[in-house]
Every structure is written in structure tokens, then in C-alpha cells.
Amino acid sequence: MTKSHKTVWNECLVIIKDILGKDPKQEKAFKTWFEPIVPVGLDDSTLTIQVPSQFYYEYIEEHYIDIIRKVIRTQLGPQGRLQYSIVMDQNISGRPFTISQPSTGSHDTQNKPKSIDININPDNDRVLPNPFIIPGIQKVKIQSQLNATYTLDNFVEGSCNRLARAAGFAVADKPGSTSFNPLLLHGGVGLGKTHLANAIGLKTKENHPDMTVLYVTSEQFLQQYAEAGKSKTINDFIHFYEMVDVLIIDDIQFWANKAPRTQEAFFHIFNYLHQKNKQIIITSDKSPADLQGLEPRLLSRLKWGLSADLQVPDVETRMAILRQKLANDGIEMPHEVIEYIAYNVNTNVRELEGALVSLIAQSSLNKKQITLDLAKQMIDKFVKSTTREITIDVIQKVVCDYFNLPIDSIQSHTRKREIVQARQLTMYFAKKMTKSSLAIIGLQCGNKDHATVLHACKTIANLVESDKQVQHWVDDIEKRFKD
């Protein structure tokens, strides 16, 4: 006598419960994830079960598919197959409905419920999910919303962003096929996260013209979800995003401590795209470890791939950025002016470019030639209106200016007395005025080790107490940091 689908599933539950054991946590898991499942059909060796949501299907597949595989084979034999029927939240009319795609390949959406077919393949022991289609949603041409001016070619590389830029090239070459999925770009304001994310999107479209790339800000996504909720088209919203090959979400930190439904929707979109080897790129002002207020399960997904930070650019990178912007605009500027701006505007790229634009505007409006004096007048006002950060670069510049020495002298290995004194003073102020470690200070002061830095700091501290000349130097240099 042939068993019914209910009998087969009940027997499966008995075995599953036995495998999980009597531990209270496992008993709770059984009640949560298996008792709500409803068997709906048995066709030859294919058992169809109905689960309450897409998340239910994803969770079971991720955590219990090995157990289910064994149980199905035990009950239905080596050719046993499991088919999920997923009840979605609502369709446009507001009524619950199921999504499916039978293994026969039929797409008759008028009279048949749709389901996701999970094929437990006895030959290679793998789970093979087939894609599914939502009625009424067609493959449409999606505008990428990318900014054409933000390219990889004009994204200046430096030690502050080398890893992120290299990862961007790898992703653009093989989107979804590298371990950098998702690619999370994080860093402070104005350090180039949006530029790099757009640049990766543009490079991807150049390499793969047939791929659908979409850039949206987190606020746009939030607003779109709210509108879909009002018009009862949440499912259309979700499956629109599931058609994207490369999805870029900018400034995800804006979802923190709000929009739990939006986060849930993105969680499902993320899972779907990731399972289909589609590329996900996200930017944030914080690393995943420091992000607060996001749903824990979404936060865990952000840690799956590569987290690459963009740091404040060093002085060489800042000078390169200025030169490139001037070249793009067809403007020439004295090297000493470029150097002065780079050393004195050190917060982020946005303010660096803003200072340059302000200087050019001052020169144009007042019909004055761009000179070092004009730059000093303008930059001094610009820097005073912003929070100036004391960095090792700034300290080197101030100390070298004070002793009338070239900057690269501190990086050299010379043992000339005046150079050694300037190097030691730089190390002393760097330890006193920055949060940099002794190793970092030594690296930027001639590639010295931490012991050398510590010795230099102690030497200057002792000389300040015993040598009036050194005390005078220290007092004068400190005043320059305050000016």
C-alpha cells in the first residue's frame, strides 16, 4: 500500500526529532522549524512540503538540509526529492499566495501554485535549487544610476586604499565569482567610498555589458520599500532587486536602529543574490564589528566576504590627488602650492578638493596669480574653519620648515647631527600629539624600529630639562602647531 504524503512526512519528523535529540535547545528548534511545516503532496519520489516564508526555506536549507537529505533518502529511497512550496506574504490583491516552479519546467502561473524545487541529487550529494519567477515581473532594462565621473582610472591609489582598490578590480573582473562577496567598503566621511563603489560598477559594465548593475543609496532603498508597502507591492519590490547581477548599496549605516522591515527585505534579497552568485557591494562609515543597530542576521551576512577600509590618505597620496584633479581641469599650479595644500589639509579627500577649488576661485574672482602667499592666506582660513588633525606628516612638515630642511631628510639614513635632531624631535612630537604606535612612527621616520623611537623620545624629554637650546626648539615648534 502506497503511503500518503502526510504519513511520509510524519515518519520523517519522527526520525528528525530523534536525530536532534532531547536537548532543550534542539527540542525548541524542532518546534520552531519543523512542526509548522505542512506536507502538501507526494508524486513518485518527490515530497512537497509547504513552509511559511522565504526565510523559512533559506534557514532550513542553511542549517538542516543535511539531516533532511538523509531522512528523505531513508523514506523515499536514493531517488528521493524534496520540493518546497513557499507561502509569500501578500500579492497585489492583498491575499497570501505560493511561489513555485515544478521540476517539469512548467510556468503556468494562472492555475498552478509555484514552488521552489530542491533536488537532492544522489550522484553528487549536492542540493540544487532551481530559480523561480514571479508572475508579472519580466526581465527589464534597469538604469544603473552610476555616476560616470567616478571611475577606477581617476581613483588615486595609495597605501590608504590599496586593498580596497585591488579588490574592486577583482570584483569587476569576475563579479560574484570571487571570495569578495559581499565586498564591504568602510571608512570615514569623504575618503572615497562612494567613488570606489561607483567605479567598480562602471568597470563591471565595461567588462560585462550584459550584466545588470544597480547603484542605490540606503535612503533610496528605504523610501522605495516604504512606497511598495503603501501600494501592497512588496513582492514586486523584492523580486525586482533579485533580477540585479551587481547590487551596490551606499551608506548602509543609515539603517541602524530603524527600518527593521526594510532590513528584513534586504536580508532576503541578499540571500537570494548570494546563492545565485550575484555580486553585492556595500559601503559604510564603520566596519562590521563597529556597526550598531543592524539586525544581527544581516550583520552576520556582511561579514561573509571582504571588509576593506579606506583610511585618511598620506601626504604623497594627497599630492597625487591634487595633481590629478588639476590635470583633469587643465590647470597648472606651482609645486610648492600643491605641497602646501597637501600638508595642511589632511582630514579627508573631500576637504582637500574643496580647498583646491576655493583657492582656484579666489585666484579667478580676484584676478590674482596662484602663489604660495595666496595659498597660505586662503588655506589658513580654510583650515581654521575645519578641525585640523595633527598627523605625522604635519609634524614632519613643521619640524623641517623650522630647521629649513627638506622633508626627505627625515626619511634618510644620514647621521648628520642636525638631521638626527630633527628626526628625534619629529618622533617626540609624534608620540606626544598623535595616537600612532611607536612602530608606525618609526616606519614614517626613516623606517626605524620602535626601540629607536622610544630612545629618541626619552632623549628629547631629558634634553628639554637640561638643555635650554632644545627647550627653546620644543617651545617654538609647539607654538606652530597652535597657530
Side-chain angles (χ1 to χ4, degrees), residues 322 333-345 355-356 358-360 362-363 368-384:
L322 292 173
M333 190 173 289
H335 172 76
E336 60 183 4
V337 174
I338 296 174
E339 185 180 57
Y340 186 84
I341 297 173
Y343 272 102
N344 287 276
V345 182
L356 181 64
S358 297
L359 177 59
I360 294 171
Q362 286 282 343
S363 171
K368 292 182 178 180
Q369 186 176 357
I370 295 177
T371 63
L372 184 58
D373 287 339
L374 180 64
K376 287 181 177 180
Q377 294 173 21
M378 196 283 300
I379 297 298
D380 284 348
K381 293 179 182 178
F382 184 90
V383 170
K384 286 179 181 178

Side-chain angles (χ1 to χ4, degrees), residues 312 343-344 346-348 383 386-391 394 433:
V312 176
Y343 272 102
N344 287 276
N346 48 53
T347 49
N348 59 56
V383 170
T386 61
T387 301
R388 181 175 177 179
E389 179 186 1
I390 303 298
T391 66
V394 171
M433 307 181 75

Side-chain angles (χ1 to χ4, degrees), residues 81-195:
R81 299 172 65 206
L82 180 67
Q83 180 168 281
Y84 291 83
S85 177
I86 299 177
V87 179
M88 300 301 284
D89 298 332
Q90 286 183 327
N91 62 6
I92 295 175
S93 65
R95 294 188 298 274
F97 71 102
T98 59
I99 303 176
S100 67
Q101 179 172 315
S103 58
T104 57
S106 169
H107 297 288
D108 180 2
T109 60
Q110 299 300 319
N111 302 313
K112 297 180 181 179
K114 300 299 174 187
S115 66
I116 298 177
D117 182 22
I118 302 297
N119 177 17
I120 301 178
N121 189 325
D123 295 327
N124 56 19
D125 202 36
R126 292 176 60 198
V127 180
L128 306 172
N130 291 333
F132 57 94
I133 299 173
I134 295 300
I137 298 292
Q138 302 295 326
K139 185 72 173 179
V140 297
K141 186 175 182 181
I142 299 174
Q143 296 298 322
S144 66
Q145 301 190 106
L146 293 168
N147 188 329
T149 62
Y150 289 158
T151 68
L152 281 173
D153 291 336
N154 62 28
F155 185 84
V156 177
E157 179 181 336
S159 59
C160 56
N161 59 33
R162 187 165 289 116
L163 172 63
R165 189 172 184 271
F169 270 107
V171 165
D173 185 39
K174 296 180 179 179
S177 299
T178 71
S179 58
F180 309 148
N181 195 20
L183 174 61
L184 177 65
L185 307 171
H186 65 89
V189 174
L191 296 182
K193 301 184 298 295
T194 298
H195 183 151

Side-chain angles (χ1 to χ4, degrees), residues 226-323:
E227 292 296 327
K230 290 178 183 178
S231 60
K232 299 186 183 300
T233 56
I234 294 294
N235 292 307
D236 285 352
F237 167 84
I238 290 175
H239 293 289
F240 166 80
Y241 275 95
E242 288 177 345
M243 292 189 293
V244 175
D245 297 308
V246 179
L247 177 60
I248 304 170
I249 302 286
D250 202 4
D251 289 326
I252 199 172
Q253 74 274 1
F254 286 122
W255 291 348
N257 298 311
K258 61 183 178 182
R261 291 183 179 275
T262 302
Q263 292 188 43
E264 181 179 2
F266 180 67
F267 173 80
H268 295 313
I269 292 168
F270 182 106
N271 280 351
Y272 180 87
L273 294 178
H274 197 274
Q275 290 168 3
K276 299 299 179 184
N277 293 323
K278 307 299 184 181
Q279 182 67 48
I280 304 160
I281 302 168
I282 297 169
T283 75
S284 168
D285 65 352
K286 298 179 180 67
S287 68
D290 297 325
L291 272 172
Q292 302 292 328
L294 291 184
E295 293 291 323
R297 59 180 181 169
L298 175 56
L299 195 56
S300 72
R301 296 299 192 270
L302 301 184
K303 299 176 182 178
W304 277 1
L306 175 68
S307 177
D309 65 332
L310 285 82
Q311 302 171 353
V312 176
D314 56 25
V315 66
E316 288 81 7
T317 306
R318 296 199 294 271
M319 291 176 68
I321 291 169
L322 292 173
R323 289 194 192 97

